[in-house]
Amino acid sequence: MSRRVALTQVAVWGLLVLGLTLMWARKDAGAAATLLTILSGAAAVTQFLSATKWKPAARASSAEQVDAAADALAAEVRKQWEAEARRRSLDRSRRLPVRCRIPRGSHEIDLDQFVADFADDPRRTVVVGEPGSGKTGLCLLLTLELLRRPEARRVPVLLQISAWNPAENLDSWLLSSLLDIYPFLANESRYGPTAARELLNQDRILLVLDGLDELAEDQRPAALRALDADLGSARPSVLTCRAAEFAAANAGGVISDSHVVELLPLPDEAIAGYLRESTPQASVERWAPVLADLTERTGTPLGHALRTPLMLSLARAVYADPRKDPAALLRVPDAEQVEATLLDEFTRQAFTTRPPSPLQNPAHEPPRWNPEQAERWLSYLAREFRDLSWWRLWRAVPTTVFVMRGVLVGGPLAALLGWLLLGLFGQPGLGLLLGAAIGVSGGTGLGLLPAEAPRRFVPRVLRRGELGRDLLFGAVGAVAGGVAVGVLWGGLYGVAIGLVFGVAYGMVRRFTEPTEPTEAVTPESLHRDDKRAVLFAAGLGAVLGGLAGGFLGGVVGVSGLGLVVPVAHPVLVGLLGAAVGVLLGAGGLGLAIYATSASSRFNTARLWLALRGRTPVRLMAFLRDAHRLGVLRLVGPTYQFRHELLRDRLARRS
């Protein structure tokens, strides 16, 4: 929203407040009604015009703004993936001795050398390897190494290509992905209106696309053709895929072998060396049979299973527990069963915690989860969801649940509110019936509305295609406020106050959208901002309700309405009306916004799933701990399972 529009709206609402104050002093009901209608109409027209004013043709962001956006993006990408690299033990001192063949079928070099060479001379590269061979870890290393080069013009951005539909234009998907994961790029006051677009247009982004094999099989060849057409071979990029899946998708030769790098399996001696060096001296004896098997024999099931960094790191994590004997792996008959054993034991071991110290601060103690329950919850999530976005979990809940929630919660709450408030004026029965009718009808309608994306309070002007929803939301507020006032004070006042509340509802809908946040989002920050948007709506409703209630009670008055008022002085009646208006405004607008908010849908979904034993009640805390323990990884505001092998194994469990 421009400063001029914002100042205009502040001025109009200031005039409205001033007019109400003057009318209070004069106590002239006829003039009060006329002036209120005029001012409310002016405010509504101003809001409508500002909402329907299409944004002018956007100017391009300046070169300085694009540079600033690139710097901010680089800082956020570094912060995001440095934390993930530490969690994955990818620092140089603990890194596994992975080697790769460059180009595919030619000479071998170690991974550090390849990362350094690529950062010196970025080029089109496809990384292939077995499941768990370290492709995602390599993406992290490449991203961080590129960010360490101060002279680099391009900012590496790591994206999951499985989220792309190859039928969609690549640039369209990249633009929306950038703004979803790094929404601060939409801050027009800081970076101009087209910063994200200019970063792509000016080739300031180096794409690191992970997980081509996670696309549907019939989409992979189309994805390769689209990438070749949209990016070309001259533009540096990184794409990862499992070796067999890439060979099948690239049967037409879209990508030449000169661009393909193959991650190699770990040899037995490298596996044994890593285990020997990373194992504390006190535990070496437990690992002695395993080390002997790896060094004295070749082609054993255990050696075959541990040849990928994923399985080797899982074995190291699982058998770090001194109560577990790694020699038990030698008794497993084949490599597939060894891998299954490690995947199963890892999820159970991750949630097995020691009793907390009595010296530990209880406020900072992480939750403790039953390992069997945690495994069951993760199995359900793995079957139902590929990406764990909290605002999309409602899709696992029937629509009737949200409708019933609206009826069972909205109806009684609105009835109780009406009974309490109108009961102050001697009309408890009317308040009960009116509140129940509004609550049931409103709860049903809001329960049927499509789910909202997570929101935050950001004033802005309308974008094309959004007017209808704003007007619908405003109409809900106009009807709710107008009916309640019109029943008591008549149609004229009902229309005037309904107009005020309609504008308020429309303002809240217009001002709660995730368009210009100031920092990169996480699941927790997105959830927190959505709840704050609801509080903003309740606060605005309280202010407008207090003004309207104070005016109707203290200026228009209640004489002749047949109401029993517990106070007689006009000022006290006005204060009582203001209090009633605060409760009605805050409750009505707050509940309406909450009913359609992403956090509300999430709360209903998590309670419904918890009642059915599918997930814990404290689902956000559980996901956060699963990420801390290495079971999940974090990609922007979305959790994902650490590896597809882990997700597939969990999904197959009953």
Side-chain angles (χ1 to χ4, degrees), residues 66-67 70 153-155 198-200 202-206:
V66 175
D67 289 340
R153 182 173 179 272
R154 300 180 181 91
V155 179
E198 293 303 321
L199 288 174
L200 291 170
Q202 298 176 20
D203 193 18
R204 302 290 298 273
I205 302 292
L206 194 154

Side-chain angles (χ1 to χ4, degrees), residues 390-391 452-456 512-514 526-527 529-530 597-599:
W390 63 263
W391 63 94
E452 293 276 3
R455 295 176 293 198
R456 66 180 73 219
T512 52
E513 291 293 340
L526 210 61
H527 191 228
D529 287 340
D530 192 74
S597 69
S599 55

Side-chain angles (χ1 to χ4, degrees), residues 183-346:
F184 60 86
L185 292 174
N187 189 332
E188 295 187 10
S189 62
R190 183 172 300 178
Y191 306 121
T194 61
R197 188 181 302 273
E198 293 303 321
L199 288 174
L200 291 170
N201 279 338
Q202 298 176 20
D203 193 18
R204 302 290 298 273
I205 302 292
L206 194 154
L207 295 175
V208 183
L209 304 173
D210 187 27
L212 177 69
D213 50 273
E214 295 178 21
L215 281 172
E217 182 177 355
D218 60 340
Q219 289 185 321
R220 295 169 199 155
L224 288 181
R225 291 192 297 269
L227 288 171
D228 186 64
D230 293 345
L231 294 179
S233 59
R235 184 173 173 181
S237 64
V238 178
L239 174 69
T240 74
C241 187
R242 295 181 181 181
E245 284 78 354
F246 178 76
N250 195 43
V254 176
I255 309 295
S256 67
D257 287 345
S258 61
H259 296 293
V260 179
V261 174
E262 182 181 13
L263 295 180
L264 300 174
L266 296 168
D268 289 351
E269 57 273 17
I271 298 171
Y274 172 79
L275 291 174
R276 189 179 296 109
E277 293 173 4
S278 62
T279 300
Q281 189 64 34
S283 300
V284 170
E285 185 176 349
R286 289 192 303 117
W287 284 94
V290 171
L291 296 175
D293 182 81
L294 292 171
T295 55
E296 297 173 6
R297 302 170 58 194
T298 59
T300 64
L302 180 58
H304 185 78
L306 298 184
R307 63 182 180 172
T308 64
L310 173 65
M311 290 301 161
L312 184 54
S313 63
L314 291 184
R316 183 69 187 84
V318 169
Y319 292 100
D321 186 347
R323 296 168 297 180
K324 291 184 173 295
D325 182 12
L329 293 173
L330 298 174
R331 297 188 289 271
V332 181
D334 59 66
E336 289 186 0
Q337 290 189 39
V338 173
E339 294 177 356
T341 299
L342 291 175
L343 291 168
D344 291 342
E345 289 294 332
F346 172 71

Side-chain angles (χ1 to χ4, degrees), residues 423-426 563-569 572-573 576:
L424 294 174
F425 300 99
L563 302 178
V564 180
V565 183
V567 292
H569 194 279
L572 296 179
V573 174
L576 180 62

Side-chain angles (χ1 to χ4, degrees), residues 371-391:
E372 288 74 20
Q373 285 184 326
E375 185 179 14
R376 187 167 61 251
W377 295 331
L378 289 170
S379 296
Y380 170 76
L381 293 172
R383 285 194 301 271
E384 296 295 325
F385 304 99
R386 178 176 292 273
D387 297 329
L388 301 177
S389 303
W390 63 263
W391 63 94

